Amino acid sequence: MRTPYVNSRLAPMGTTIFAEMSALAAATGSINLGQGFPDTDGPEEVKRAAAEAVLSGRGNQYPPGPGIPELRTAVADHQKRFYGLDLDPDSEVLVTAGATEAIAAAMLALLEPGDEVVAFEPYYDSYAACIAMAGGVRVPVQLRPPTFRPDLDALRAAITDRTRLLLLNTPHNPTGMVLTRDESEAIAQLAIERDLLVVTDEVYEHLTYGPEHIPLATLPGMRERTVTISSAGKTFSFTGWKIGWVTAPPELVSAVRSAKQFLTYVSGGPFQYATATALALPDEYYTTLREDLRGKRDLLADGLEAAGFEVFRPDGTYFITTDISSLSDEDGMAFCRALPERCGVVAVPNLVFYDDKVASRSLVRFAFCKQSDKLREAIDRLSGLRSLL
Ligand SMILES: *Cc1c(COP(=O)(O)O)cnc(C)c1O
């Protein structure tokens, strides 16, 4: 029998780092600032809406393939309220099993084997895997510290005749970079000039702490070529629910749906109802979430600085990237593997988000979507780190 069993497209992907680090956190009783999930749930009324959808029997059987109409309408209303975009809920919105399935379905639907996908490096770990599963070829354009701003000349140079699409992510995980209007316009210009599709992962759309989030689809000439992806996980602090959505013109939605229907077909019936309720929350909900996270960003960033890390304060997301060079000669992987034992804190090495293991060698990511007391405790534990190294 042929071994290894896993095929050559997936073999290089290994196992996601989060499994190892979360297991380490549990085994050592560490504070887990590795994986990006909040340690408090979203709003009570949203939970009740999920429970109600189960108890009333509304949400317990297969929902419609594109998602329940209530949720598709709520997504369209949200795009209108925050960005002035007019979407037809029937033909321009598709509900998915989290943003993760939306990314997978978009790659499987839009790529021919050999097509190139230009994406910022570091990338969210599912991008490389999904591009590979679709037979595509990833072409990284590196974001470099201290600002992690995109190099637009490098982006232009990365585009070839084989480029099918740009896979963007703003606000950007793990760097926290938020594309400015000028950058977004320059990228749009490139996409139009080279006639490229754009798939944009905007799951952190509401988590910005200064610069405002600009959806690529709002720029002139972009709506017709852009597949926008978002999800309820980060915005409403229900990462376990896995309700995501795609918004795009009808032909693109229909393309993505042709892959999605054979992945999960549908998912999360009750949570679709609850997410419709969540999206309709008043503006104050969104403002409060942002202000709360801004405070936590500053708390953890200050603490990490005091502990001796070089801190790249993020404009968005709930992650802080640091450089450990001033503390240790270890690479990020060794540092993160030792950190729980040394001081009871878990972080993740950014090198798992890079092809370039040299540039990313000393970068380490911490999540701040945790209760303030827990962040303070983590800072306290990290404050003794220097004397241990
Ligand atoms: C968390 C995350 C996702 C996954 O979202 P789900 O809705 O949980 O599938 C996708 N992209 C980025 C950049 C993320 O950080």
Side-chain angles (χ1 to χ4, degrees):
M1 198 179 287
R2 190 185 68 212
T3 55
Y5 295 127
V6 70
N7 68 43
S8 57
R9 297 187 303 287
L10 279 173
M13 302 300 153
T15 309
T16 155
I17 185 75
F18 302 108
E20 178 187 343
M21 290 302 168
S22 291
L24 206 51
T28 56
S30 292
I31 298 176
N32 190 354
L33 306 185
Q35 199 170 9
F37 61 89
D39 61 354
T40 39
D41 292 341
E44 189 71 20
E45 64 196 285
V46 177
K47 286 198 215 180
R48 280 189 199 289
E52 170 56 27
V54 172
L55 294 173
S56 69
R58 270 202 309 172
N60 297 331
Q61 307 304 330
Y62 292 133
I68 60 166
E70 291 87 340
L71 177 53
R72 283 183 280 117
T73 301
V75 168
D77 290 348
H78 171 277
Q79 297 307 90
K80 177 76 180 165
R81 166 161 51 139
F82 290 100
Y83 311 123
L85 285 166
D86 280 298
L87 295 168
D88 171 18
D90 290 330
S91 62
E92 297 185 306
V93 180
L94 173 67
V95 176
T96 56
T100 305
E101 189 196 30
I103 294 159
M107 295 306 119
L108 291 168
L110 302 174
L111 297 179
E112 291 292 352
D115 280 351
E116 292 179 355
V117 176
V118 175
F120 295 137
E121 180 187 31
Y123 13 57
Y124 182 63
D125 60 350
S126 85
Y127 295 180
C130 289
I131 294 167
M133 286 192 279
V137 178
R138 63 181 183 278
V139 177
V141 173
Q142 204 171 102
L143 305 175
R144 295 173 201 281
T147 65
F148 298 106
R149 305 239 62 89
D151 175 341
L152 296 168
D153 293 328
L155 184 64
R156 177 181 289 278
I159 297 170
T160 73
D161 293 342
R162 292 177 302 281
T163 308
R164 169 66 162 161
L165 60 87
L166 306 180
L167 175 52
L168 302 177
N169 172 214
T170 184
H172 182 264
N173 174 11
T175 67
M177 182 275 296
V178 180
L179 289 177
T180 63
R181 183 167 293 279
D182 284 353
E183 287 161 350
S184 302
E185 282 173 354
I187 292 168
Q189 180 97 44
L190 267 178
I192 293 164
E193 223 173 87
R194 305 300 296 265
D195 198 24
L196 302 175
L197 293 172
V198 173
V199 176
T200 168
D201 176 346
E202 303 184 357
V203 299
Y204 296 101
E205 59 189 316
H206 290 288
L207 308 189
T208 57
Y209 315 114
E212 101 188 275
H213 168 66
I214 299 155
L216 271 292
T218 58
L219 300 176
M222 287 307 285
R223 183 172 164 162
E224 50 270 43
R225 62 180 68 248
T226 303
V227 174
T228 305
I229 293 170
S230 193
S231 108
K234 312 293 161 56
T235 300
F236 302 111
S237 302
F238 290 115
T239 57
W241 289 10
K242 299 296 284 189
I243 299 296
W245 50 87
V246 165
T247 53
E251 317 77 71
L252 280 169
V253 161
S254 147
V256 176
R257 193 171 58 224
S258 58
K260 183 260 181 312
Q261 66 185 333
F262 298 122
L263 293 174
T264 57
Y265 177 47
V266 292
S267 61
F271 302 126
Q272 292 196 23
Y273 287 95
T275 302
T277 302
L279 283 165
L281 289 168
D283 292 357
E284 300 81 78
Y285 166 77
Y286 296 88
T287 316
T288 306
L289 174 78
R290 176 180 295 131
E291 289 316 312
D292 176 53
L293 282 168
R294 184 209 304 274
K296 289 176 173 173
R297 175 199 64 171
D298 291 336
L299 175 64
L300 184 60
D302 293 347
L304 289 167
E305 250 157 29
F309 292 83
E310 183 182 356
V311 171
F312 308 111
R313 206 169 286 237
D315 283 334
T317 76
Y318 42 48
F319 301 109
I320 296 177
T321 289
T322 64
D323 192 313
I324 57 168
S325 308
S326 46
L327 283 168
S328 164
D329 289 334
E330 292 164 316
D331 69 22
M333 187 64 84
F335 180 87
C336 288
R337 285 197 168 123
L339 196 59
E341 206 52 64
R342 277 181 185 143
C343 63
V345 174
V346 165
V348 297
N350 288 37
L351 54 83
V352 301
F353 307 116
Y354 285 78
D355 290 316
D356 182 346
K357 306 294 182 200
V358 177
S360 53
R361 189 180 178 280
S362 57
L363 301 178
V364 167
R365 188 192 83 173
F366 293 84
F368 57 84
C369 47
K370 309 291 173 181
Q371 294 172 56
S372 297
D373 283 350
K374 233 188 248 168
L375 292 175
R376 281 189 207 99
E377 173 64 27
I379 291 165
D380 191 48
R381 294 180 183 190
L382 288 164
S383 67
L385 183 62
R386 216 190 248 120
S387 60
L388 297 171
L389 293 167

